[in-house]
Amino acid sequence: MKEAKSKYFQSIALHFFKHRGAPFFLSSKELDYIARWEEMEIPLHVVLEGIERSIEIYKRKPGRKAKIRSLVFCDLQVLKAFEQDRERKVGHKKRIVERHEKRDRAKAEIERFLEKIPHQINYLQEAYSLAQEVLSQSHFDEEKLERIEGKIEELLWKNSLDEEKERVKRRIAKDYKSKEEEEFERIFKIKLVKVLRDKYKIPYISLFYY
């Protein structure tokens, strides 16, 4: 068990060091995050996927020439990757999808969504219309899509009903082992947004999901 734990920590650290370079050690806070991921039973390949997503998103931000310096900044994408992994069907095989194909898929999903957007979430119409405009451009800005994605999640969180929040809180308390308040709130927010997306069939904006 101790050997498996050591491999989990070392694999994550080595993967991150390949991106960051020196210093070749992790802070106590970064080690705490890895410990939490392990406590939540997030598979190693999912953590690495979340780190890669974080790196790619960071690279696309304007004016960002430096590299991600801390694993802490990867936490959100690791948790999102974990949610996706939990929903994948057994035996499902991913294939490499070209960037333009992802764009076309996202654009089609958004168009269908805007045609029949539920009245309960009509407050998302402006954000999705903007995303549609961005994706219609020949040289579209993926960073702008990421910002719109973040705005959509904030709107879902802000406009969610109290009873929806309570249902999700009860489910998280049952499914997740982490007792840290900060960690619980982070997972709670991600899970609530995911529940609302599923309920109203809300498509993603970020091309990571296509």
Side-chain angles (χ1 to χ4, degrees):
M1 183 66 70
K2 186 178 292 185
E3 183 179 347
K5 181 175 181 179
S6 176
K7 183 179 179 182
Y8 187 86
F9 276 68
Q10 289 178 9
S11 297
I12 293 171
L14 288 173
H15 188 81
F16 186 62
F17 292 156
K18 286 180 182 178
H19 161 73
R20 185 183 70 180
F24 297 106
F25 61 86
L26 297 175
S27 67
S28 58
K29 188 171 185 179
E30 289 173 306
L31 291 173
D32 285 343
Y33 271 84
I34 297 178
R36 288 175 185 173
W37 296 336
E38 186 176 44
E39 183 183 349
M40 292 169 64
E41 299 181 355
I42 302 180
L44 176 60
H45 75 275
V46 174
V47 174
L48 301 185
E49 179 183 343
I51 292 173
E52 286 300 315
R53 287 185 184 183
S54 302
I55 292 169
E56 288 303 314
I57 291 172
Y58 191 85
K59 282 180 180 177
R60 290 200 299 269
K61 292 188 176 181
R64 292 285 180 87
K65 295 183 179 180
K67 299 178 180 180
I68 292 178
R69 305 306 300 173
S70 173
L71 265 179
V72 174
F73 294 105
C74 301
D75 185 55
L76 178 59
Q77 293 303 324
V78 169
L79 294 177
K80 285 186 175 182
F82 185 39
E83 276 301 313
Q84 282 188 298
D85 185 71
R86 285 160 63 94
E87 295 170 355
R88 287 173 187 153
K89 294 180 180 179
V90 176
H92 175 69
K93 294 183 179 180
K94 296 187 293 182
R95 66 185 184 89
I96 297 174
V97 182
E98 296 294 335
R99 185 170 180 265
H100 72 273
E101 186 178 346
K102 289 186 175 187
R103 188 268 301 275
D104 292 343
R105 284 184 180 182
K107 188 177 176 183
E109 288 290 334
I110 291 169
E111 287 175 354
R112 282 193 290 269
F113 177 69
L114 285 172
E115 286 175 2
K116 299 180 179 180
I117 185 169
H119 67 87
Q120 297 96 326
I121 53 170
N122 197 52
Y123 53 83
L124 295 179
Q125 186 162 5
E126 183 179 349
Y128 275 89
S129 295
L130 178 58
Q132 190 176 39
E133 290 179 18
V134 173
L135 288 168
S136 296
Q137 299 169 1
S138 55
H139 299 289
F140 59 95
D141 185 351
E142 286 194 52
E143 171 57 25
K144 187 174 288 186
L145 293 178
E146 293 292 343
R147 290 197 296 270
I148 297 172
E149 187 79 79
K151 178 65 175 178
I152 289 167
E153 293 187 354
E154 286 301 321
L155 286 170
L156 287 170
W157 170 258
K158 180 180 177 181
N159 291 279
S160 59
L161 301 176
D162 289 340
E163 52 264 36
E164 290 172 329
K165 289 181 178 179
E166 284 304 313
R167 280 198 298 270
V168 173
K169 270 189 176 181
R170 288 196 296 269
R171 189 184 308 176
I172 292 174
K174 181 180 179 181
D175 292 346
Y176 291 91
K177 298 178 181 179
S178 177
K179 302 299 182 183
E180 290 283 342
E181 183 176 351
E182 182 181 349
E183 189 72 12
F184 184 89
E185 286 300 316
R186 187 182 292 107
I187 296 171
F188 169 44
K189 186 172 182 179
I190 291 172
K191 190 69 175 178
L192 176 62
V193 169
K194 184 67 176 62
V195 166
L196 293 173
R197 280 188 181 275
D198 290 343
K199 179 179 179 179
Y200 296 111
K201 295 180 172 57
I202 303 171
Y204 287 98
I205 299 298
S206 172
L207 299 189
F208 270 123
Y209 299 96
Y210 293 91

